[in-house]
Amino acid sequence: MEKMSRVTTALGSSALTGRTMHCHLDAPANAISVCRDAAQVVVAGRSIFKIFAIEEEQFVEKLNLRVGRKPSLNLSCADVVWHQMDENLLATAATNGVVVTWNLGRPSRNKQDQLFTEHKRTVNKVCFHPTEAHVLLSGSQDGFMKCFDLRRKDSVSTFSGQSESVRDVQFSIRDYFTFASTFENGNVQLWDIRRPDRCERMFTAHNGPVFCCDWHPEDRGWLATGGRDKMVKVWDMTTHRAKEMHCVQTIASVARVKWRPECRHHLATCSMMVDHNIYVWDVRRPFVPAAMFEEHRDVTTGIAWRHPHDPSFLLSGSKDSTLCQHLFRDASQPVEHANPEGLCYGLFGDLAFAAKESLVAAESGRKPYTGDRRHPIFFKRKLDPAEPFSGLASSALSVFEIEPGGGSMSWFVDTAERYALTGRPLAELCDHNAKVARELGRNQVAQTWTMLRIIYCSSGLMPSANLNHSVGKGSSCGLPLMNSFNLKDMAPGLGSETRLDRSKGDTRSDTVLLDSSATLITNEDNEETEGSDVPTDYLLGDVEGEEDELYPLDPEHAHPEESEYVLPQEAFPLRHEIVDTPSGPEHLQDKADSPHVSGSEADAASLAPVDSSFSLLSISHALYDSRLPADFFSVLVCDMLRFYAEQGDVQMAVSVLIVLGERVRKDIDEQTQEHWYTSYIDLLQRFRLWNVSNQVVKLSTSQAVSCLNQASTTLHVNCSHCKRPMSSRGWVCDRCHRCASMCAVCHHVVKGLFVWCQGCSHGGHLQHIMKWLEGSTHCPAGCGHLCEYS
Amino acid sequence: KQDKRIRVSQPLTRGPSAFIPEKEVVRANTVDERTNFLVEEYSTSGRLDNITQVMSLHTQYLESFLRSQFYMLRMDGPLPLPYRHYIAIMAAARHQCSYLINMHVDEFLKTGGIAEWLNGLEYVPQRLKNLNEINKLLAHRPWLITKEHIQKLVKTGENNWSLPELVHAVVLLAHYHALASFVFGSGINPERDPEISNGFRIISVNNFCVCDLANDNNIENASLTGNNFGIVDSLSELEALMERMKRLQEEREDEEASQEEMTTRFEKEKKESLFVVSGDTFHSFPHSDFEDDMIVTSDVSRYIEDPGFGYEDFARRGEEHLPTFRAQDYTWENHGFSLVNRLYSDIGHLLDEKFRMVYNLTYNTMATHEDVDTTTLRRALFNYVHCMFGIRYDDYDYGEVNQLLERSLKVYIKTVTCYPERTTKRMYDSYWRQFKHSEKVHVNLLLMEARMQAELLYALRAITRHLT
C-alpha cells in the first residue's frame, strides 16, 4: 500500500508523455524491464545489456553494462529484472545458470555486484520481491527455484518443483509470502516463501510448457498464465481450488503475458514463434484482441508497461534488434474490422440474428424483417436483449420463429423431389414441372413453366425463317432412343472425334447463317464460343439428316468462322456429363486388376454413360426448336430467373437454368449462376435431399459446383481379420495379407459393391446375393441364418 | 575376394542383431505381451521386424517410437503415402542402409508407388529430386542449411513444396537418418524372409558385416587391440566411471571454471572429436574393404546424388567461420515444437514425447550396479552428439564429457552418429565391456534421438528464418 501511494504521487507530479517510436539495438533482445521512475528501460540479450533513457522523442543509450574485454557467458542474459523499490538494483539470469545482480550505484565502470552460481542449468527467470529490498527469486531449467538474500552470498532456500524446467517465477503482489512458478510439464505451483519443503498448491494449467505467468496488480489471487498450447488462462486462486475464469485463444504459443495497468480485464501478450505482433486482450472477449501492435519484424521477446499506473505506454524488445515504445492510441484495433453481425438457423427453422444494438434499433423501425420478401416464410419477431459484454459492445439478439403450420417448407421438398430436370425432351420437362407446380398450388410457377414451353418448344409458333431445318427436327424427334445408343457407343472414342465434330458444328452454324443471318447473329457475342467449341461432338446425333452433305465440307470450314458460330454452346453440359462422371467407375476398374468383375461393377461402369446419353438427347433435341426464339426471349427469361432468385425461390431459378441449359446460360454471368447453384445445393442438403442435390451438382456446368461431388469420395474400410484400416486397396489387407471381403456365393474377392446380411454378416457381390436369395432363404455361407434381402 | 563375399551374404549371427546374441533379445521378447500389442497397433509392415525386436528391450521408448513413426508414415499428413516411403528410401540411402531401403521399397510398392521410381532418382518427379540437396546436407552437415535452401524449395513454381509438405519431408528425413544410425549402431540383421522378391531389393547385406569380417580376418593388424583387454581392467574402469559420476553430482565445481575455460572446453571437445575417429577409421578400413564398400554402395547410389559428400568435422571448418549453434537461442521445447506442430499438426507432440522419453529413460542401473543416478551420463551422451553437430549448451560444462566418456566410446559415438555405415562389431564391443546389451541399446537410442533433434533444429531454424 505504501508503495502504491508513493508511485501514484510520482505519476501525479509528472504525467507521462511520448510517442510511438523505436530504436535499433545492436543485437536481438531477450528481455526488457522498466525502472520504477518510468524513464529508463533495460534491454538484455545474448550479446547486449544496455540501459536506455526514454525521452520525449527518442530512446537514448545511457549505459552499456557489457564491459570487459572478453564477454563472458555470465553476460548472456535470458532474463532481466529491475527492482521496483530500488532504482540502482538489477538482476539478470544467464544462459549458463548464473544469477547476477548489478548495482548502478557502483562508482566503477563494472557495475556487477554479486554472482550466484548455484543453478546447474540455464536460469529462465528472475524476480525481485515487490516490496522487500533484498529478496530475489530465480527459476531454472534444472527444476529448482532459489531464493536469495542479497545481503548473503548464498541462497536462503531452495524449492524443488519435483519436475523438469521452471519457466517462470512471480511473486504475488498482494500476498507477501506467496509466489507462483510455472513448469515445462504444464503445471503451476504456488509456494510459501517460508516453506521450501513442499508447495502449497499445484495444478495443471496447460497442455505443454507454461511459459509465463503474471499476477493481477489489483485483484488478489488472479493469475494469468500463458502456454505453448497457444492459450492464455486467468485463474482465481482465492478459492479452494484454482478456478479457470477466462481463457483466451491466441494464434501462437504465448511467451509473455502482462496485465495492463488500470484496466481490470486487459492483458498484453506476445508469442514465442511465428507471430510477431503484440496483442492486448480483454479477457472477457477472448476471440478478438482489443488492440494490436504490429511494429516488430521478428518475434517479440519482452514486453513491459512503462508505468504501473499508466495504461497507454507499452515497451517491447524483439529478436529483430529493436526496442519499441507503443502508444495505445496508435494501436490497430481488429475489433473495428470485425463483422459484428451473426446469423444462424435453428434446428426447426428458427432464425437467430445478432447485431449491434444500435443497428438493430435503428433498422427495426423502418425495415421490418417480418415482411421481408426474401423469406417466404412468416416469422414472428421476438427481441431478446442479449447479455451484453459489459461496457464493451452490446449487441442485440433477435430470434425469428416459424409460425406454426404456416411456415412449412414441404412444398420445397416436394418440388425438389418431383421436378424433372433432365432425361426427357424439353417440352415434356416443362409440362411435367408445370404439372408438379400446379398440384402444389403454386400457380405462378406453373404458369412460368408453361410459358417456357411455349417459348422454347412449340414449333408451331416458330417464325418461318428456319424452314429448312424443320425437316431435320421432325426426324430427330422421332428417334430419341436410337440417338441415345449412338451416343453411348461414341463415348469412348471421344477424343478422336472431336475435331471432326467441331467442323460439323461449324458447318451447321453456317447453314444457319445462310438462311437467317441477320436476325440471328445480332446479339450473339462470342467470347465463349472458343471455350465451348470442343464439346460439340455430340451434335452429331441431331444432324443426322444432313450428315452426308456435311462430311465432305470438313476441310473448308476452319476457324475463321468460329467467331460467328452460335449453337455449339448448347452441347456444353454434355461434356461434363461424359468426361467427368465416368471417371469414378473407370478408376475403380483400373484398380481391379483381377479378371473377375462382378455384374454389379459392370453395371456401375456403364451406368453413367447411359445416363448421360439421355440428357444429351433431351438437349440435342431441344436444340432445334430453340434456335430463334431463344434470342428474342432470353433477356426476358433471364430477368425472370433473377426475379425468382431475388424472391428467395432459388429452386426455380436453378431448375429453369438446368432445364433450359445453354439457351439462357450465356446471358447470366458465371458468378451469379454459381451462387444460385450453391445456395440451392445447400438448401437441398439441409433438407437431406441428397439424391436431388447430387443430381443438381452433376447437371451444373460451373466448375466450382460440379467438383463438389468429387471431394471426399473415399470410403474407409477396416480389415475384417485384423481390424486395421486398409490403406491402399479396399480388399487386400496390407498387414495380414489376406483378402478382406469374399463373396459367399462365388468365393471371389468383392471389389465393387458389397452387400451383406446384418444378421449373420455374410455377404458378397450384390448380383450374386440377389440371385441366391431368389432361390433360397438361407445364407449362402451355410451358417444357417435366414437372410433377408430387401 | 570371392569367398569373402560368399561368407558375407550369410548373417553372422542368428537373431535380429549381429552385435547382440539372439538370446538376449528373445528372452526379453517372450515375456513381453506389450511389445506384441504395440506392433499390432503401430507397425506398418504388420510384423515384428528386427528393429522393433531390438528396441523392445526398452518397451517404454518403443511405444513412443512406433507411435511417431506410424503417424508420419500412415496418418494424416500433407504428403501422399508413396512419397513418404520414397523419402525414407532417399534418407536411408545417404547412409547406404540397405536394411531400411529394402523395407521401404516393399512398403513403397504396397502403398501404390510407381515401380519405375525405384530405378533411381532420374525416374522420379523433379519435385522429389529437389529434396536431394537438403537430404544431403541434413544427413552429413546440417549446419550448412540456410534459409536460401528453404526458399529454393518453397518458391512458387511448378515443383514447389508447400511448407507443411516440406516440414513433413524434413521430419521423415531426420527420422530415417537417425534410424540408420540405430540400425548400424545395433548391428540390425537383414530381415530373414524377404517374402516378395520384386527386383528392387538391394541384394547385398549390411556393410557392417563386411567390415566385421575384415576385422576378424586381420585381427592382428587392427589398431584397436588395446591393452586394456582384461576383465579386471574393465571392472575397475566401471568403478572409476561411477566414481567420477558421483563426484560430478555431489560437489559441483570445486574450482570455479572461468568462462574462457568453459569455452575452451567446448572447443576442445569439438577438436578432439576430430581426432577421435580419423585414426581408427584408417585402420579399420584397409583398402580392400573400401573396394568392397564401393561394390555394395553401387546399388544404393541410384537413390542419391553426390555420393562423395559426407560428414566433415564441425570443428575443422574454422576458415568458413560458421557460428556455433547456441542451443538456448533455438530450443526444441520453445521454438522447434511450435513450428513443427503448426505446420504438421500433432507430430510435435509425438516427437516431444519421444525426446522426453529417451532423455529421461533410466532404470537406475549401470552394469551390475543398482540405484545409480545416470543423469549426468545420459546428458553427456546427448550433449556430445550435439557438440559434434556444433550445437552448444551454455549451461553445460563440456569437461564432463571428457571425464565420463572414454575414448573407445567416443569413437563409437562419432562413428554411429556421423558415418554409421562404418560401424563395426569391434567398435560396439570395445566400449563399456561390463555393460549389458540392453544398456548399449539404450546408448544407441540416445544417440539416435540426439542426432534427430540436432538435424531437426538446424532445419527448423532455417525454416523459421525463411518465415521471418
Side-chain angles (χ1 to χ4, degrees):
Chain A
M1 269 304 107
E2 184 198 7
K3 167 206 147 206
M4 300 282 258
S5 57
R6 208 186 318 164
V7 175
T8 325
T9 49
L11 179 67
S13 61
S14 61
L16 290 178
T17 52
R19 62 183 187 95
T20 297
M21 59 189 181
H22 68 90
C23 89
H24 188 77
L25 311 169
D26 313 319
N30 276 347
I32 63 169
S33 184
V34 191
C35 178
R36 84 180 163 121
D37 66 3
Q40 295 174 79
V41 58
V42 58
V43 183
R46 173 170 289 283
S47 48
I48 182 172
F49 190 20
K50 283 178 180 174
I51 290 177
F52 287 88
I54 311 165
E55 296 188 352
E56 194 86 346
E57 292 290 315
Q58 61 191 354
F59 290 104
V60 176
E61 184 178 328
K62 232 184 118 194
L63 189 63
N64 187 358
L65 290 157
R66 237 180 123 76
V67 290
R69 284 174 298 107
K70 265 196 175 172
S72 90
L73 269 183
N74 293 345
L75 285 169
S76 155
C77 306
D79 192 33
V80 63
V81 66
W82 205 319
H83 204 298
Q84 290 304 305
M85 300 295 293
D86 184 346
E87 286 172 24
N88 283 330
L89 196 56
L90 284 109
T92 57
T95 49
N96 64 350
V98 179
V99 175
V100 193
T101 59
W102 308 79
N103 185 356
L104 301 181
R106 278 166 76 111
S108 71
R109 231 177 111 239
N110 189 353
K111 310 284 186 195
Q112 187 171 319
D113 196 21
Q114 267 178 294
L115 217 60
F116 301 101
T117 52
E118 294 188 27
H119 284 294
K120 285 183 187 150
R121 304 282 307 268
T122 300
V123 178
N124 287 319
K125 200 79 188 177
V126 282
C127 175
F128 278 115
H129 195 278
T131 51
E132 203 55 55
H134 302 285
V135 179
L136 175 68
L137 192 65
S138 66
S140 155
Q141 196 78 14
D142 59 14
F144 292 104
M145 295 143 277
K146 286 179 188 284
C147 181
F148 303 98
D149 187 324
L150 302 187
R151 292 162 295 195
R152 293 168 56 173
K153 281 186 93 70
D154 300 315
S155 60
V156 184
S157 44
T158 300
F159 310 86
S160 167
Q162 303 293 343
S163 120
E164 48 195 326
S165 306
V166 185
R167 301 309 302 239
D168 199 356
V169 283
Q170 290 291 340
F171 273 112
S172 165
I173 298 169
R174 287 313 183 92
D175 297 307
Y176 187 89
F177 294 111
T178 310
F179 73 88
S181 56
T182 70
F183 291 85
E184 195 140 299
N185 58 9
N187 286 346
V188 171
Q189 295 180 351
L190 278 195
W191 291 85
D192 187 316
I193 199 99
R194 298 160 297 186
R195 294 199 55 189
D197 53 330
R198 55 180 211 84
C199 64
E200 299 275 285
R201 183 186 289 185
M202 177 165 96
F203 61 96
T204 303
H206 290 266
N207 178 13
V210 189
F211 286 138
C212 52
C213 66
D214 196 33
W215 291 95
H216 196 282
E218 275 134 50
D219 280 299
R220 175 190 294 255
W222 279 28
L223 182 73
T225 58
R228 195 171 70 180
D229 58 0
K230 307 179 188 172
M231 304 224 239
V232 179
K233 292 182 180 174
V234 178
W235 305 89
D236 185 355
M237 305 290 218
T238 51
T239 49
H240 178 62
R241 283 183 54 144
K243 197 176 92 201
E244 184 184 325
M245 296 164 64
H246 299 286
C247 177
V248 175
Q249 179 79 51
T250 70
I251 58 168
S253 49
V254 182
R256 312 264 175 196
V257 57
K258 284 271 181 280
W259 287 101
R260 185 174 175 206
E262 310 282 282
C263 295
R264 188 157 177 254
H265 293 285
H266 283 202
L267 48 79
T269 66
C270 64
S271 68
M272 183 73 86
M273 277 291 285
V274 191
D275 182 26
H276 311 156
N277 300 339
I278 302 166
Y279 301 98
V280 177
W281 302 88
D282 185 309
V283 290
R284 294 160 304 173
R285 191 171 203 179
F287 304 109
V288 191
M292 189 160 98
F293 300 103
E294 300 165 301
E295 276 82 359
H296 289 299
R297 300 272 72 89
D298 201 339
V299 283
T300 310
T301 47
I303 49 176
W305 294 95
R306 187 167 157 195
H307 191 280
H309 289 277
D310 188 331
S312 55
F313 291 88
L314 179 69
L315 297 164
S316 69
S318 156
K319 274 247 154 75
D320 65 1
S321 308
T322 54
L323 173 67
C324 266
Q325 170 168 277
H326 311 274
L327 242 64
F328 211 74
R329 62 177 140 85
D330 295 334
S332 70
Q333 303 193 328
V335 181
E336 300 289 304
H337 309 295
N339 183 2
E341 282 96 39
L343 184 70
C344 187
Y345 263 112
L347 185 60
F348 301 106
D350 301 347
L351 178 73
F353 173 67
K356 266 190 187 162
E357 213 162 37
S358 52
L359 199 72
V360 175
E363 254 173 55
S364 58
R366 61 193 147 82
K367 192 180 163 198
Y369 287 96
T370 34
D372 194 351
R373 289 186 311 169
R374 223 168 285 217
H375 308 288
I377 314 156
F378 295 100
F379 288 122
K380 189 169 74 190
R381 186 166 167 237
K382 189 169 79 182
L383 199 69
D384 293 347
E387 201 173 274
F389 275 125
S390 48
L392 264 179
S394 59
S395 26
L397 176 70
S398 325
V399 177
F400 305 92
E401 280 177 344
I402 297 178
E403 205 147 88
S408 155
M409 285 288 277
S410 63
W411 61 269
F412 178 86
V413 180
D414 277 355
T415 315
E417 277 171 348
R418 293 171 56 191
Y419 265 1
L421 298 177
T422 181
R424 279 189 267 173
L426 179 66
E428 280 179 39
L429 290 177
C430 288
D431 281 345
H432 175 88
N433 292 345
K435 194 168 141 251
V436 169
R438 213 172 356 258
E439 280 168 15
L440 290 167
R442 305 172 71 215
N443 288 321
Q444 192 190 4
V445 174
Q447 204 65 30
T448 311
W449 281 114
T450 316
M451 276 155 67
L452 285 175
R453 179 192 144 79
I454 294 168
I455 292 171
Y456 288 98
C457 304
S458 119
S459 50
L461 290 178
M462 291 276 269
S464 52
N466 252 353
L467 263 179
N468 55 340
H469 278 83
S470 52
V471 184
K473 191 199 318 166
S475 71
S476 70
C477 270
L479 295 167
L481 246 159
M482 208 166 95
N483 278 351
S484 83
F485 282 116
N486 279 349
L487 292 169
K488 183 184 169 190
D489 295 342
M490 275 161 53
L494 175 131
S496 61
E497 268 164 14
T498 321
R499 243 210 90 74
L500 181 80
D501 294 332
R502 182 191 15 227
S503 43
K504 222 173 290 161
D506 287 353
T507 42
R508 213 159 40 105
S509 63
D510 265 5
T511 36
V512 173
L513 271 178
L514 289 178
D515 30 65
S516 59
S517 46
T519 33
L520 217 129
I521 304 150
T522 40
N523 51 359
E524 285 303 331
D525 46 319
N526 319 319
E527 327 282 292
E528 286 173 2
T529 3
E530 261 153 19
S532 48
D533 57 355
V534 184
T536 50
D537 8 354
Y538 305 110
L539 289 177
L540 189 64
D542 46 50
V543 246
E544 279 170 296
E546 297 152 354
E547 238 171 12
D548 293 344
E549 325 129 45
L550 290 179
Y551 270 112
L553 287 180
D554 283 354
E556 285 96 356
H557 295 273
H559 298 274
E561 263 108 356
E562 262 182 13
S563 62
E564 288 160 323
Y565 108 75
V566 192
L567 293 160
Q569 283 138 324
E570 299 184 47
F572 197 62
L574 306 185
R575 178 181 176 211
H576 282 274
E577 284 289 294
I578 289 187
V579 178
D580 283 351
T581 4
S583 71
E586 252 169 36
H587 183 59
L588 211 140
Q589 277 183 323
D590 275 344
K591 285 204 152 189
D593 25 324
S594 117
H596 305 279
V597 177
S598 73
S600 61
E601 283 157 45
D603 270 2
S606 56
L607 211 105
V610 169
D611 211 19
S612 60
S613 65
F614 275 122
S615 69
L616 277 176
L617 176 66
S618 77
I619 291 173
S620 58
H621 159 77
L623 185 78
Y624 271 88
D625 315 52
S626 64
R627 196 162 300 134
L628 193 59
D631 302 321
F632 281 146
F633 296 106
S634 62
V635 180
L636 211 61
V637 172
C638 291
D639 281 348
M640 182 268 291
L641 290 186
R642 290 204 183 89
F643 168 77
Y644 276 113
E646 286 286 300
Q647 275 219 316
D649 191 358
V650 75
Q651 182 177 46
M652 183 65 185
V654 172
S655 304
V656 173
L657 200 59
I658 292 174
V659 168
L660 292 184
E662 208 50 48
R663 294 176 194 83
V664 289
R665 185 167 301 127
K666 57 186 182 298
D667 295 316
I668 300 168
D669 70 288
E670 279 285 323
Q671 277 211 307
T672 318
Q673 287 188 33
E674 198 180 308
H675 184 68
W676 291 351
Y677 272 118
T678 45
S679 322
Y680 186 42
I681 289 163
D682 189 39
L683 274 174
L684 288 172
Q685 289 178 345
R686 275 166 195 271
F687 282 100
R688 304 186 183 194
L689 297 164
W690 312 115
N691 289 338
V692 185
S693 101
N694 200 40
Q695 194 192 15
V696 171
V697 171
K698 234 166 81 181
L699 291 170
S700 78
T701 50
S702 137
Q703 274 296 335
V705 177
S706 54
C707 67
L708 280 180
N709 64 357
Q710 292 176 13
S712 57
T713 50
T714 320
L715 191 67
H716 296 280
V717 285
N718 283 5
C719 172
S720 58
H721 300 296
C722 63
K723 310 286 185 286
R724 302 273 164 270
M726 296 196 281
S727 45
S728 55
R729 264 156 286 175
W731 52 90
V732 180
C733 178
D734 281 346
R735 292 155 182 284
C736 55
H737 303 291
R738 279 200 279 186
C739 294
S741 38
M742 306 287 270
C743 175
V745 181
C746 69
H747 297 283
H748 284 298
V749 186
V750 186
K751 292 179 180 168
L753 294 174
F754 185 81
V755 65
W756 70 95
C757 169
Q758 297 188 340
C760 65
S761 77
H762 290 113
H765 294 108
L766 178 62
Q767 296 276 327
H768 294 166
I769 297 289
M770 275 165 76
K771 217 185 241 164
W772 175 270
L773 289 174
E774 275 168 20
S776 162
T777 49
H778 284 81
C779 175
C783 67
H785 186 261
L786 289 169
C787 300
E788 273 180 58
Y789 178 83
S790 50
Chain B
K1 178 128 263 177
Q2 192 56 40
D3 66 346
K4 189 190 274 179
R5 286 198 58 82
I6 290 165
R7 277 162 66 190
V8 161
S9 53
Q10 297 153 354
L12 294 175
T13 50
R14 287 157 41 73
S17 162
F19 295 173
I20 307 165
E22 191 180 11
K23 60 179 187 336
E24 287 270 335
V25 181
V26 173
R27 193 184 52 212
N29 272 345
T30 44
V31 281
D32 205 347
E33 287 285 310
R34 180 93 189 119
T35 311
N36 284 329
F37 170 74
L38 285 173
V39 169
E40 285 241 321
E41 187 82 20
Y42 295 115
S43 163
T44 48
S45 61
R47 65 206 190 110
L48 186 65
D49 51 36
N50 289 345
I51 294 187
T52 318
Q53 278 192 48
V54 174
M55 272 188 198
S56 66
L57 291 169
H58 303 276
T59 326
Q60 278 175 301
Y61 170 82
L62 181 67
E63 175 164 11
S64 34
F65 173 82
L66 288 178
R67 271 177 55 174
S68 63
Q69 182 172 266
F70 186 71
Y71 187 82
M72 58 183 108
L73 288 179
R74 279 287 181 278
M75 303 295 278
D76 281 346
L79 291 174
L81 295 185
Y83 261 61
R84 305 180 191 188
H85 291 293
Y86 200 84
I87 290 172
I89 294 171
M90 286 169 71
R94 285 283 2 155
H95 289 306
Q96 293 126 43
C97 183
S98 48
Y99 175 86
L100 288 175
I101 294 177
N102 286 339
M103 190 161 158
H104 286 282
V105 161
D106 289 348
E107 301 224 353
F108 173 75
L109 293 173
K110 246 190 272 171
T111 48
I114 302 164
E116 199 194 11
W117 293 10
L118 297 174
N119 291 330
L121 281 179
E122 308 91 83
Y123 299 88
V124 303
Q126 185 62 33
R127 211 157 91 89
L128 267 177
K129 235 187 278 178
N130 289 346
L131 268 191
N132 254 322
E133 179 74 6
I134 207 166
N135 179 22
K136 183 177 84 178
L137 292 176
L138 215 49
H140 306 297
R141 301 174 208 167
W143 52 85
L144 293 180
I145 292 180
T146 61
K147 69 172 179 190
E148 281 75 27
H149 291 116
I150 306 295
Q151 261 154 11
K152 218 162 38 183
L153 285 172
V154 300
K155 192 179 64 196
T156 15
E158 205 185 336
N159 299 309
N160 74 320
W161 288 76
S162 73
L163 275 175
E165 285 172 333
L166 183 61
V167 167
H168 192 172
V170 161
V171 170
L172 281 168
L173 287 174
H175 179 82
Y176 280 98
H177 292 152
L179 193 56
S181 283
F182 181 82
V183 168
F184 286 113
S186 314
I188 303 291
N189 273 334
E191 294 295 334
R192 203 79 63 74
D193 46 348
E195 72 265 55
I196 331 150
S197 191
N198 45 30
F200 289 109
R201 281 179 157 268
I202 289 167
I203 303 116
S204 81
V205 291
N206 281 334
N207 299 355
F208 59 81
C209 298
V210 180
C211 314
D212 241 8
L213 265 184
N215 281 344
D216 286 348
N217 286 347
N218 355 332
I219 198 152
E220 52 282 341
N221 67 6
S223 70
L224 265 167
T225 33
N227 39 10
N228 49 355
F229 240 124
I231 291 175
V232 189
D233 269 356
S234 54
L235 258 180
S236 61
E237 236 170 64
L238 173 66
E239 302 291 332
L241 175 60
M242 289 185 56
E243 186 55 39
R244 283 195 297 271
M245 280 171 61
K246 203 175 266 170
R247 212 172 51 226
L248 281 171
Q249 257 148 16
E250 280 168 4
E251 23 92 38
R252 147 160 187 91
E253 299 292 299
D254 24 343
E255 95 300 4
E256 193 59 46
S258 75
Q259 290 317 303
E260 291 79 28
E261 175 65 21
M262 298 288 265
T263 315
T264 10
R265 279 182 193 170
F266 175 71
E267 295 301 329
K268 199 174 120 219
E269 216 43 62
K270 249 167 48 180
K271 288 262 161 47
E272 199 173 299
S273 74
L274 200 152
F275 305 113
V276 150
V277 177
S278 41
D280 295 314
T281 39
F282 178 74
H283 289 290
S284 58
F285 278 84
H287 280 289
S288 62
D289 283 332
F290 265 126
E291 280 166 44
D292 257 352
D293 235 8
M294 287 307 143
I295 297 162
V296 173
T297 53
S298 63
D299 281 335
V300 177
S301 64
R302 61 172 178 244
Y303 297 119
I304 50 176
E305 262 176 5
D306 192 5
F309 191 90
Y311 176 83
E312 188 184 65
D313 288 288
F314 188 80
R316 197 181 285 160
R317 329 147 292 101
E319 58 278 15
E320 286 171 53
H321 232 76
L322 282 163
T324 304
F325 188 114
R326 298 306 191 108
Q328 269 85 357
D329 287 353
Y330 199 96
T331 61
W332 164 255
E333 287 80 15
N334 294 1
H335 305 92
F337 172 89
S338 301
L339 184 68
V340 106
N341 219 33
R342 185 185 191 88
L343 293 170
Y344 178 21
S345 55
D346 290 347
I347 192 71
H349 290 290
L350 292 167
L351 293 178
D352 202 33
E353 191 200 315
K354 188 161 67 119
F355 290 142
R356 213 173 279 247
M357 171 64 71
V358 83
Y359 199 87
N360 294 330
L361 185 68
T362 181
Y363 306 98
N364 294 318
T365 56
M366 265 178 83
T368 47
H369 299 257
E370 290 188 353
D371 284 330
V372 192
D373 183 357
T374 56
T375 318
T376 47
L377 197 55
R378 282 179 281 134
R379 194 163 167 223
L381 286 168
F382 202 85
N383 287 358
Y384 186 61
V385 172
H386 278 193
C387 167
M388 281 183 303
F389 285 101
I391 299 175
R392 181 183 172 189
Y393 289 85
D394 286 347
D395 54 0
Y396 188 67
D397 175 7
Y398 286 83
E400 284 186 30
V401 169
N402 229 7
Q403 294 184 50
L404 296 177
L405 309 185
E406 61 191 65
R407 191 177 155 79
S408 54
L409 176 55
K410 280 185 181 172
V411 170
Y412 178 75
I413 294 175
K414 173 116 195 214
T415 316
V416 166
T417 48
C418 300
Y419 15 78
E421 60 275 16
R422 299 191 203 164
T423 316
T424 63
K425 186 168 189 327
R426 172 166 308 284
M427 292 180 188
Y428 176 84
D429 287 336
S430 65
Y431 78 94
W432 284 7
R433 283 165 212 287
Q434 288 300 302
F435 282 66
K436 285 179 241 151
H437 284 291
S438 75
E439 286 169 319
K440 291 195 171 185
V441 171
H442 187 178
V443 169
N444 280 332
L445 294 179
L446 265 169
L447 301 185
M448 158 166 114
E449 293 302 337
R451 176 173 182 203
M452 178 171 182
Q453 199 182 72
E455 286 187 18
L456 275 181
L457 283 176
Y458 275 112
L460 294 175
R461 187 176 66 162
I463 293 176
T464 309
R465 286 184 175 165
H466 160 75
L467 286 173
T468 49

